[in-house]
Amino acid sequence: NDTYTYKAEDGTLATLTFLNTDFVHTLTVKMNDKEYVLDQTEAWAKGAAYEKDGVKAHSQRDDLDLTMDGKTLKLKRQYEK
């Protein structure tokens, strides 16, 4: 599994863990003391879509849109300087 730090436009930091095994494809989002485990619903060359319990995520390269409660947060992967 691969874990990365992402940052929202408002400065909120999120820890995202992508788990890809032969049987399991999930995305775990830890943000604001909450944790969401989303199931992959679709995948393509440079990204994937995830969803569970009304929370959706759409990743494309270093960008990830997280939709919950009718709002979409735009997150960008952070690289160590």
Side-chain angles (χ1 to χ4, degrees):
N1 54 346
D2 299 302
T3 299
Y4 307 104
T5 298
Y6 279 70
K7 191 178 194 177
E9 293 166 317
D10 66 1
T12 301
L13 290 176
T15 302
L16 277 62
T17 301
F18 296 86
L19 177 61
N20 291 299
T21 70
D22 290 344
F23 305 105
V24 181
H25 303 281
T26 61
L27 167 64
T28 301
V29 180
K30 292 181 184 173
M31 186 173 70
N32 297 332
D33 297 327
K34 292 195 176 115
E35 183 172 300
Y36 308 92
V37 180
L38 311 179
D39 297 316
Q40 184 175 293
T41 55
E42 197 181 341
W44 50 90
K46 296 287 184 188
Y50 302 86
E51 184 174 357
K52 189 166 189 185
D53 300 332
V55 178
K56 296 181 185 177
H58 180 279
S59 78
Q60 185 72 30
R61 292 189 174 87
D62 288 344
D63 296 303
L64 185 124
D65 290 349
L66 185 66
T67 304
M68 62 176 103
D69 303 327
K71 286 184 255 179
T72 299
L73 268 177
K74 292 195 173 293
L75 301 166
K76 194 168 246 330
R77 183 171 161 194
Q78 303 297 295
Y79 288 91
E80 300 298 325
K81 296 281 186 279

